[in-house]
Amino acid sequence: METHGVEQRVQNLILSRFPHNPTSGQRDACAAMSRFLYDSDPRSLFLLKGYAGTGKTSLVSALIQTLPALRVNTILLAPTGRAAKVIAGYSGRPAYTIHKKIYMTATDASGVVRTVRGINKHSYTLFIVDEASMIGIEPGATRHSLLEDLVEYVYSGSHCRLMLIGDTAQLPPVGQSESPALDERFLSASFSLNLISCELTEVVRQQQLSGILINATALRSQIARMQEGDEAQMPLFQTDGYEDVVRLQGEDLMETLYREYGDFSLEQVVVVCRSNKRANLFNQGVRGSVLFREEEVNAGDYLMVVKNNYYWLDEESNIGFIANGDIVEVLSVRNVQELYGFRFADATLRFVDYPDEEPRDCKLLLSTLYSESPSLTGEESERFFEAVMEDYADLPHKADRLRELRQNPYYNALQVKFAYALTCHKTQGGQWRTVIVDQGYLGEGPVDRDYLRWLYTAFTRATDRVYLLNFDSRFFAAEA
């Protein structure tokens, strides 16, 4: 009875910090959170799933404001720097990437720098992880997967617990059909965790006039029906009466980009594509016809890092390392050259998602800018490796050659692509004021669940406006 009374008081404390009248689902979630906070099982985990617009942000923000009064510390995490920036923005608290928090670098006896899981020195701390749908079970920095390392790191601390937040309709990690970090059965079976979970499905009243969320909710509902075995149906977008969802034809794209770039900064507008090939075409068009950039890369260009890099930042950096998905602004560029069969440039970069980080000088690998692969292919990487190793052929021991290779600034150059147009996976976890969604090639048959998840994820990257570029008329309710 006493525990129930405490849980009710905690529930009321969380609800009192809501910016609006909570929905019934949010009230149920608050009750589940209160049970979780006072659950006697030391390996309890809270899983919060929810549609876009259902108030996950308000709920988590209210929880974070409440926890200090309960003498519970919080650590806010996300899979990418851009996703960490989002949770920091709505919570008013610092947030970190999972990699930055749980991994550390160490030098082994042969002088090789490796990334290993660190020691959790926190106590009585709730680790809150947003955008958990992005966390995969591929090998992480250690031999374990990122999800395994995260769980083991958190529960190795004294009285520490984990809360995962995400949306199962978003794209799963690359190469996986579902998001393991949002799968109750997988989590329970793999980690011996006591799961307490809830899912928000009701769009909050303040959001019901948003065309973005009206359409996202319709997509989300159709995805759920298909998961239950229903046949695929063509999604019908609602645009009439909504200023934030706009149908756009190709001939109007450049004018739209002029206007959007004029209203917002370059980093607040993105074109979402279905392939790197389509993204390359858009990036070339934006740079040539809208920004009038003539050099291979110019000061003022926005780039996305497409492979983790541990070379250019020291251990004291707030970032820890430059991660796949980080967006940078080029402040200056110089010394463009060709070496080892690839093109490089020296650049001074501003880290867009880390405003407190000082600009850094780095070397860029220009050859990935318009590559149709996500980063260097395996064949290209092997050719690069062999070419650089030839420089150290005079060293008798392979260990010495490898040590020199790892300190070679060209071999450690940042692999980057232009960030004006990106694949949907590259945008996941981030938010932009304006998102232009390119339909891309689509056959005559019905769309499948994967395409709907792609559309849903693209829609929910936007905070202010979505443009539907070159979408077939069968996508629109008035013409179907």
Side-chain angles (χ1 to χ4, degrees), residues 27-317:
R27 289 183 179 276
D28 291 343
C30 284
M33 285 179 173
S34 300
R35 291 198 305 274
F36 164 69
L37 291 171
Y38 288 93
D39 190 85
S40 59
D41 192 328
R43 290 186 66 83
S44 288
L45 179 147
F46 192 82
L47 182 58
L48 175 63
K49 297 184 284 188
Y51 298 10
T54 53
K56 295 193 301 292
T57 295
S58 297
L59 182 60
V60 174
S61 179
L63 172 67
I64 292 169
Q65 294 176 49
T66 302
L67 290 175
L70 307 180
R71 297 183 180 178
V72 175
N73 303 310
T74 54
I75 299 291
L76 307 184
L77 302 174
T80 67
R82 179 146 286 228
K85 186 178 181 180
V86 172
I87 188 174
Y90 72 69
S91 68
R93 297 281 302 278
Y96 312 92
T97 64
I98 299 171
H99 284 82
K100 166 64 177 174
K101 186 62 187 176
I102 74 172
Y103 293 125
M104 58 182 292
T105 56
T107 304
D108 64 18
S110 63
V112 176
V113 177
R114 302 186 185 279
T115 303
V116 297
R117 192 176 69 240
I119 300 171
N120 182 6
K121 299 180 180 179
H122 297 277
S123 59
Y124 295 94
T125 298
L126 176 60
F127 289 78
I128 300 176
V129 183
D130 202 2
E131 296 290 353
S133 64
M134 300 173 66
I135 305 173
I137 51 175
E138 293 298 313
T142 68
R143 287 180 296 176
H144 294 152
S145 70
L146 178 60
L147 182 56
E148 289 176 295
D149 282 339
L150 173 64
V151 171
E152 291 183 17
Y153 174 88
V154 169
Y155 290 96
S156 67
S158 175
H159 299 89
C160 291
R161 291 184 180 181
L162 182 60
M163 176 177 177
L164 298 173
I165 307 165
D167 186 341
T168 55
Q170 287 193 26
L171 291 172
V174 176
Q176 295 168 39
S177 60
E178 301 297 337
S179 299
L182 300 180
D183 186 330
E184 287 98 330
R185 291 182 182 177
F186 178 84
L187 292 170
S188 296
S190 301
F191 305 113
S192 301
L193 294 167
N194 173 39
L195 258 69
I196 299 175
S197 66
C198 63
E199 184 166 18
L200 301 175
T201 59
E202 181 184 355
V203 175
V204 298
R205 188 171 303 163
Q206 288 85 345
Q207 306 289 358
Q208 290 176 355
L209 297 180
S210 164
I212 293 173
L213 288 174
I214 288 290
N215 286 284
T217 301
L219 287 168
R220 183 66 169 77
S221 298
Q222 189 167 334
I223 292 166
R225 290 194 298 272
M226 290 178 70
Q227 190 169 3
E228 296 300 319
D230 285 4
E231 292 184 3
Q233 296 182 8
M234 182 62 64
L236 298 179
F237 294 126
Q238 302 287 337
T239 58
D240 290 346
Y242 298 112
E243 295 183 356
D244 57 342
V245 180
V246 181
R247 188 176 178 181
L248 183 64
Q249 299 301 327
E251 59 266 23
D252 300 321
L253 175 61
M254 293 307 169
E255 181 182 344
T256 300
L257 286 170
Y258 279 126
R259 183 175 63 251
E260 294 295 329
Y261 286 149
D263 291 342
F264 308 116
S265 66
L266 293 178
E267 67 182 85
Q268 290 292 344
V269 181
V270 70
V271 181
V272 178
C273 305
R274 294 176 64 196
S275 68
N276 284 300
K277 184 176 182 178
R278 292 286 292 177
N280 288 344
L281 293 173
F282 280 106
N283 280 318
Q284 287 175 321
V286 168
R287 294 190 75 249
S289 301
V290 180
L291 303 177
F292 305 108
R293 304 264 165 87
E294 297 182 351
E295 303 297 328
E296 195 167 7
V297 62
N298 289 78
D301 270 327
Y302 281 79
L303 308 173
M304 176 173 277
V305 178
V306 294
K307 185 177 181 181
N308 289 349
N309 186 289
Y310 302 89
Y311 180 82
W312 296 101
L313 299 181
D314 52 45
E315 292 184 10
E316 287 70 36
S317 166

